[in-house]
Each structure stands twice: as C-alpha cells, then as structure tokens.
C-alpha cells in the first residue's frame, strides 16, 4: 500500500502539473471508487473550476478548488498512481511503485480523470481498484504527519499504553503516514522489537524512534518510495540483517506481518 513517501510523490505531481488548469470534463463513472457520490456528482461540483493547492497529511491527499469550491480528496488505495498526461504526449506520475513500471500511455486502469481546457488530463490509475475519490474528505481524525510532527507530538503518541510499539506507529490517529514497511524500517533502525509495549519505552527509546522515523521518511521520499529503504530487501524467509548478519525473524504484530533482527531487536 502506498505510504507517506509515495503519497507525497503523487501530491508533488499534482502541484507540479495539475494546478491552475481549468477543468472541462470529469470522469467519475466508477461508483465504487467515487463512493458515496453517484456518477455525475463530482463532475457537477468541479466543472469550470481549477485545482489551486495540493495538500497531504499522512497517506491522505486533497486539493483545494477555485471559487470556494469543495475539496477534492484522493486516496491511492493499494496501488494507485496520479498521472498527468499532456496533449503532446509528455507525462509525469507519482504514487505507488509497480514492478516493471507503467508504460507511457497505459491508462487501462484509469478509475477517475479530470480533463483540462488545454487538452491535458489528470488520472487516478489503479490496477487493484482500491483507491478512493471523494469531495470534502474527512481528515480531522488523523494524527500529526510523520514528516512534520514535532518531538512533543511524537512523544505524546508513544506516551502510554500496552499496545505494541509497531501497532502504535501504524495507528493513523496517533501518527499519520506510517505503513507496514516504513514501520519495520523505523524499528530496525532504532533497534527496538516491534512487539515491545509502548509503556515500556524509555525516553532514549522514543528519541531513537523519532530520529529513525525522520531518517526513514526523508530517505524514502528522496529514493522514490519505501521499497528503496535499507531493510526492505531482507524481509523474507532465510533473510539476514543487513547490519549484523543475524537471521531475520518474522511474526504478526498489530495484525501485520513484521520482520526484525533476531539479535539487535530481541525482546
């Protein structure tokens, strides 16, 4: 599933190529992706407007529209990309990383599209059809963004409780934007077992986790996604820790498959 770095790349694509272009057509015919709206409702709300700003908090992304129009929320789901295709054939895209990549001009999995007055288009391309487009999306319940949170906000998110630390990192109301792969990288970098209860973390543990979170997010954004992080290629049966060579351990923590170093992250 796209995590914060992938969603940030999609947001940046909209900011770079999708703003201040008049919308003259909207394909909102996929009633599953555009639920709870009926076909035509998003179209009616957006025709004649422009996107004026692109925002993100955690894994959620939305755009302001002109003339006090509604916010346009876009969630990438498990495999979504934002593609901006111009009439001259040039394209930019951002979002989930697909093995083999998407070929230029491949729109067979387009689930939602805006057409601009200049002939360009903005598309949500999503093979698994698990993305979501809706007006005025609810983002109030999300916690602070993992890329911009303050130390005080991070300490508050991990302040108390019996939940495993990985489960707390994955809780979008505690910290927004961390998914399964990013959490494993953060915990590995901080040398903390994913099943350790948050109530047992020391101040030094929390500080290491904060530093690890900032490093992982920066690195993944710069590298093109969470798949580029150091630990990810070693999350498999028979894999060994890239830092000390110890066997990797696997279990389910917080409902998610988790991998950690059997030596440095022992608990």
């Amino acid at each position: 599933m796209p995590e914060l770095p992938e969603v940030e790349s999609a947001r940046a694509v909209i900011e770079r190529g999708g703003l201040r272009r008049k919308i003259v057509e909207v394909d909102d015919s996929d009633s599953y992706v555009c639920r709870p709206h009926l076909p035509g409702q998003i179209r009616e709300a957006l025709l004649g407007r422009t996107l004026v700003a692109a925002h993100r908090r955690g894994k959620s992304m939305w755009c302001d529209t002109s003339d006090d129009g509604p916010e346009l929320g876009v969630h990438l789901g498990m495999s979504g990309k934002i593609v901006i295709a111009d009439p001259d054939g040039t394209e930019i895209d951002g979002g989930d990383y697909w093995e083999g990549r998407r070929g230029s001009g491949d729109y067979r999995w387009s689930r939602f599209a805006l057409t601009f007055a200049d002939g360009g288009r903005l598309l949500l391309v999503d093979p698994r059809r698990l993305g979501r487009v809706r007006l005025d999306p609810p983002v109030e319940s999300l916690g602070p963004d993992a890329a911009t949170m303050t130390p005080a906000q991070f300490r508050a998110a991990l302040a108390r409780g019996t939940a495993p630390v990985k489960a707390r990192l994955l809780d979008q109301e505690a910290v927004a934007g961390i998914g399964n792969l990013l959490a494993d990288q953060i915990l590995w970098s901080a040398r903390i077992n994913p099943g350790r209860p948050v109530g047992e973390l020391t101040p030094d543990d929390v500080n290491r986790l904060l530093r690890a979170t900032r490093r992982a997010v920066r690195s993944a954004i710069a590298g093109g996604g969470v798949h580029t992080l150091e630990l990810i290629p070693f999350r498999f049966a028979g894999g060994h820790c890239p830092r000390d060579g110890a066997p990797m351990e696997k279990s389910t923590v917080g409902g998610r498959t988790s991998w950690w170093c059997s030596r440095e992250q022992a608990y």
Side-chain angles (χ1 to χ4, degrees):
M1 177 180 184
E3 302 186 32
L4 184 158
E6 288 79 12
V7 180
E8 175 58 24
S9 75
R11 187 208 65 81
V13 162
I14 296 176
E15 186 170 77
R16 174 182 164 192
L19 302 185
R20 295 172 292 278
R21 300 171 74 172
K22 186 177 180 180
I23 299 167
V24 296
E25 188 54 80
V26 178
D27 178 4
D28 63 351
S29 58
D30 191 318
S31 58
Y32 181 72
V33 170
C34 296
R35 65 191 189 280
H37 307 291
L38 295 174
Q41 287 185 330
I42 298 178
R43 179 180 185 273
E44 181 179 2
L46 297 184
L47 282 181
R49 302 186 191 275
T50 65
L51 307 180
V52 297
H55 308 282
R56 180 195 56 75
R57 188 190 299 181
K59 305 175 189 180
S60 295
M61 175 174 58
W62 67 97
C63 298
D64 298 333
T65 63
S66 61
D67 302 317
D68 295 320
E71 294 174 343
L72 174 65
V74 181
H75 198 288
L76 299 181
M78 293 291 290
S79 59
K81 281 183 179 293
I82 293 296
V83 179
I84 294 183
D86 285 326
D88 62 3
T90 60
E91 292 183 9
I92 54 175
D93 71 20
D96 190 41
Y97 173 82
W98 303 344
E99 290 295 336
R101 309 295 292 177
R102 179 191 64 86
S104 179
D106 182 0
Y107 311 134
R108 64 190 133 157
W109 297 303
S110 176
R111 310 300 182 186
F112 175 83
L114 305 177
T115 300
F116 301 119
D118 58 16
R121 290 189 294 165
L122 182 156
L123 307 97
L124 170 63
V125 179
D126 178 15
R128 298 190 187 182
R129 198 174 170 236
L130 295 173
R132 185 85 180 270
V133 178
R134 63 171 299 173
L135 301 176
D136 296 321
V139 296
E140 298 81 9
S141 64
L142 293 173
D145 185 79
T148 58
M149 62 189 171
T150 66
Q153 288 173 324
F154 189 72
R155 286 194 293 269
L158 300 180
R160 63 184 67 86
T162 59
V165 60
K166 181 171 180 178
R168 185 64 56 83
L169 290 174
L170 294 175
D171 181 352
Q172 300 303 298
E173 294 186 7
V175 179
I178 298 175
N180 197 39
L181 300 185
L182 195 55
D184 277 359
Q185 171 70 30
I186 290 166
L187 291 160
W188 174 79
S189 182
R191 295 175 169 84
I192 292 174
N193 186 278
R196 188 171 174 184
V198 292
E200 295 182 8
L201 297 174
T202 68
D204 182 61
D205 292 332
V206 175
N207 288 335
R208 292 203 319 276
L209 283 167
L210 176 59
R211 291 193 297 269
T213 299
R214 288 174 167 171
R215 285 195 304 269
V217 169
R218 286 196 303 265
S219 178
I221 291 174
V226 295
H227 66 285
T228 65
L229 293 172
E230 186 178 4
L231 181 68
I232 307 311
F234 302 92
R235 297 172 77 258
F236 65 92
H240 290 78
C241 173
R243 189 166 48 218
D244 68 0
M248 294 294 294
E249 294 279 356
K250 174 188 175 184
S251 186
T252 300
V253 180
R256 305 300 301 276
T257 299
S258 305
W259 293 87
W260 67 92
C261 173
S262 59
R263 180 179 302 154
E264 294 183 326
Q265 292 174 269
Y267 173 60

